Amino acid sequence: EVQLVESGGGLVQPGGSLRLSCAASGFTFSSYYMSWVRQAPGKGLEWVSAINSGGGSTNYADFVKGRFTISRDNAKNTLYLQMNSLKPEDTAVYYCAKRGSLGEYDYWGQGTQVTVSS
């Protein structure tokens, strides 16, 4: 059974940092692209970042470029998102998602809440 379990969210002041983790199990983690997607209150899903299976290629949405860093540890089956210089508009539930063979997101975690507020 595929499982994706996010952790690391919380309340942080503007300008602060958080590191999200996503522990994966039930599939060969090192073989798949992974992404972070977020959903702000009252809004739709918003893609944040993606990383290829080996970790050598990353992509970011313009609104997080230079502030967020996606990474993975295939030995630990874990995906990360380092978030720096957080802004109130980064407040959202953050999900990790596995990309399937056809490019679709076929599995999602339960999400972790990030709240940026003073």
Side-chain angles (χ1 to χ4, degrees), residues 26-102:
F27 66 103
T28 306
F29 180 71
S30 59
S31 295
Y32 292 93
Y33 275 70
M34 297 293 295
S35 290
W36 287 98
V37 180
R38 71 185 187 185
Q39 186 168 28
K43 297 189 176 181
L45 292 171
E46 188 173 47
W47 174 80
V48 174
S49 183
I51 187 168
N52 71 340
S53 57
S57 178
T58 58
N59 288 287
Y60 299 92
D62 286 345
F63 53 80
V64 302
K65 276 183 182 176
R67 299 189 299 123
F68 290 12
T69 302
I70 190 172
S71 63
R72 65 192 297 162
D73 186 335
N74 285 342
K76 295 182 178 180
N77 289 349
T78 304
L79 177 72
Y80 302 101
L81 186 67
Q82 178 67 44
M83 305 187 296
N84 298 329
S85 302
L86 282 161
K87 305 175 182 180
E89 51 264 43
D90 294 318
T91 294
V93 177
Y94 284 73
Y95 300 92
C96 67
K98 169 184 171 291
R99 204 167 91 178
S101 302
L102 301 178

Side-chain angles (χ1 to χ4, degrees), residues 13-33:
Q13 292 188 340
S17 298
L18 282 174
R19 187 195 197 201
L20 305 184
S21 299
C22 172
S25 61
F27 66 103
T28 306
F29 180 71
S30 59
S31 295
Y32 292 93
Y33 275 70

